Amino acid sequence: MGRAFNFSAGPAVMPEAVLQQAAAEMLDWHGSGMSVMEMSHRGKEFISIYEQAEADLRELLAVPTKFKILFMQGGGLAENAIVPLNLSQGGAMDFVLTGSWSQKSLKEAGKYGTARVVATAQADGFTTLPSPANWQIGPDSRYVHICSNETIHGVEFHELPDLKALGCDAPLVVDFSSHVASRPVDWSRVGLAFGGAQKNLGPAGLTLVIVREDLIGHALQHCPSAFDYKLVADNQSMYNTPPTYSIYIAGLVFQWLKKNGGIAAMEQRNIAKAQLLYDFFDSSSLFENRVAKDCRSRMNVPFFLRDESRNDAFLAGAKAANLLQLKGHKSVGGMRASIYNAMPLEGVQALVAYMREFEKTQA
Ligand SMILES: *Cc1c(COP(=O)(O)O)cnc(C)c1O
């Protein structure tokens, strides 16, 4: 069996060209006589890898100079604690509940201060998004948190909310773990964005934080030093040893993105891939996606067989057709196809072809 089409939600498919380059450079990086994972993070070789990765990411995502890019560890879940430790200043934090990940963020923040729910789509089973006009944001809010792509429920904000237009001066905190780099970001609406690398940027172990400078330097006294954005920023993400190999691989992914037309080109490809899948579900009598059309995720597509007893047969047939990791998250059931940047159009076409065949044999 060669390389399969891998629909994992994360850690997820990587661009094949990146894996090949990493393999070729594994034993001796650019004539240094070392593998990247053997280098001092303070040596000139790794510093050059780090600086290139940061510059490429800043260019790709068009990050304004008044934002710092931090390479941290601990994943999205650690940021659920690190953000309140740095931004809450002991005040209240407001959360928009749109699925499992924003629920987790709310719960964790509650350990560090008052965490309030300003809107929720729970009554719809998290298949819709609450309209920003109806969010009940408090005047004392330290920040408003959203998960801009809910990886498990498959809902995505196609536009970030404009808090200023809602009369709110609090910064917007965005968990963009599962769709970072899939589309451009409107930084004028963002205070801080964070995400683990393992969905759309590279290997697990690296957490990306992009934060507006004025939000740095207000950590609670008991914030662990390694998680204090000011210490991390002042030390170019090297207050402690950064996840060097993951940064290197993410850097190769950034170069791959640049070679392939950048984020705007990626977005067009992602729209085309997602459209192919949703069009199939909307025309199928056997399969369905239950998310409201205007908030369907371009990255994570949960779907169901109307006859759930066929799930195992579907997954076994998919595996035999080299289509892997399609089982849905246990909290939602059914199936899920994650179609991140590195999933080629051919992978989505192969999945749709398999589903058409499956549908015929069930008729
Ligand atoms: C995967 C994911 C997380 C958690 O990431 P970890 O690296 O496992 O901590 C948080 N938020 C979203 C939206 C995710 O998809």
Side-chain angles (χ1 to χ4, degrees), residues 8 10 39 61 64 86 98 104 121 130 132 144 160 191 285 297 327 360:
S8 169
M39 291 173 181
L61 289 183
N86 278 275
T98 51
K104 280 205 168 111
V144 179
L160 292 176
S285 52
S297 170
K327 196 174 165 59
K360 266 191 219 149

Side-chain angles (χ1 to χ4, degrees), residues 213-268:
E213 268 166 0
D214 62 287
L215 301 176
I216 296 176
H218 311 290
L220 297 175
Q221 210 216 325
H222 57 274
C223 176
S225 303
F227 293 156
D228 181 336
Y229 292 143
K230 179 153 174 51
L231 279 174
V232 178
D234 286 351
N235 290 280
Q236 286 73 44
S237 301
M238 298 201 197
Y239 175 71
N240 65 329
T241 313
T244 53
Y245 200 76
S246 296
I247 291 172
Y248 156 68
I249 299 285
L252 297 184
V253 171
F254 302 156
Q255 301 250 316
W256 174 82
L257 287 168
K258 283 173 70 174
K259 268 192 220 112
N260 285 277
I263 301 300
M266 258 322 131
E267 180 179 39
Q268 291 313 309

Side-chain angles (χ1 to χ4, degrees), residues 52-360:
Q52 188 70 49
E54 184 187 340
D56 285 342
L57 182 66
R58 193 176 281 281
E59 181 187 329
L60 279 164
L61 289 183
V63 181
T65 49
K66 67 174 183 200
F67 284 77
K68 294 279 190 203
I69 295 179
L70 311 179
F71 292 129
M72 298 182 70
Q73 302 186 64
L77 283 194
E79 289 305 321
N80 284 343
I82 297 170
V83 172
L85 280 165
N86 278 275
L87 266 52
S88 72
Q89 298 181 63
M93 303 157 275
D94 285 332
F95 289 77
V96 180
L97 295 192
T98 51
S100 303
W101 291 112
S102 45
Q103 281 181 309
K104 280 205 168 111
S105 301
L106 167 79
K107 194 161 172 229
E108 186 73 7
K111 294 181 183 175
Y112 302 99
T114 306
R116 305 180 295 213
V117 177
V118 294
T120 175
Q122 190 152 26
D124 295 330
F126 296 125
T127 57
T128 61
L129 289 172
S131 168
N134 301 326
W135 296 357
Q136 305 291 317
I137 303 169
D140 57 343
S141 181
R142 295 293 186 175
Y143 66 86
V144 179
H145 174 112
I146 66 166
C147 175
S148 50
N149 184 66
E150 288 277 2
T151 322
I152 292 173
H153 287 87
V155 293
E156 177 172 3
F157 282 90
H158 290 294
E159 194 187 340
L160 292 176
D162 183 354
L163 295 186
K164 276 195 214 82
L166 300 173
C168 168
D169 286 330
L172 181 70
V173 169
V174 183
D175 175 358
F176 66 175
S177 295
S178 53
H179 72 164
V180 51
S182 71
R183 62 178 222 204
V185 177
D186 181 351
W187 292 104
S188 73
R189 296 184 176 185
V190 176
L192 181 151
F194 70 82
Q198 71 272 22
K199 312 301 176 30
N200 219 6
L201 297 180
L206 166 65
T207 315
L208 176 66
V209 176
I210 303 181
V211 53
R212 221 172 58 207
E213 268 166 0
D214 62 287
L215 301 176
I216 296 176
H218 311 290
L220 297 175
Q221 210 216 325
H222 57 274
C223 176
S225 303
F227 293 156
D228 181 336
Y229 292 143
K230 179 153 174 51
L231 279 174
V232 178
D234 286 351
N235 290 280
Q236 286 73 44
S237 301
M238 298 201 197
Y239 175 71
N240 65 329
T241 313
T244 53
Y245 200 76
S246 296
I247 291 172
Y248 156 68
I249 299 285
L252 297 184
V253 171
F254 302 156
Q255 301 250 316
W256 174 82
L257 287 168
K258 283 173 70 174
K259 268 192 220 112
N260 285 277
I263 301 300
M266 258 322 131
E267 180 179 39
Q268 291 313 309
R269 263 172 246 160
N270 289 328
I271 289 172
K273 287 187 292 178
Q275 194 68 45
L276 199 61
L277 266 185
Y278 288 117
D279 282 350
F280 171 77
F281 293 131
D282 290 344
S283 65
S284 168
S285 52
L286 196 65
F287 295 91
E288 61 175 338
N289 168 273
R290 296 170 184 165
V291 176
K293 284 191 179 163
D294 59 349
C295 48
R296 286 170 162 178
S297 170
R298 293 173 187 158
M299 295 281 104
N300 309 97
V301 184
F303 61 97
F304 300 88
L305 279 166
R306 287 178 209 266
D307 174 4
E308 297 258 326
S309 72
R310 307 299 301 156
N311 284 3
D312 289 347
F314 175 83
L315 290 168
K319 192 161 180 226
N322 242 356
L323 307 167
L324 303 186
Q325 309 206 66
L326 282 162
K327 196 174 165 59
H329 190 273
K330 60 183 184 302
S331 65
V332 170
M335 271 67 67
R336 173 173 50 168
S338 294
I339 50 174
Y340 297 119
N341 284 345
M343 171 60 66
L345 179 64
E346 295 75 40
V348 179
Q349 288 168 332
L351 174 59
V352 170
Y354 167 66
M355 291 193 291
R356 279 194 207 291
E357 273 310 303
F358 189 85
E359 185 153 4
K360 266 191 219 149

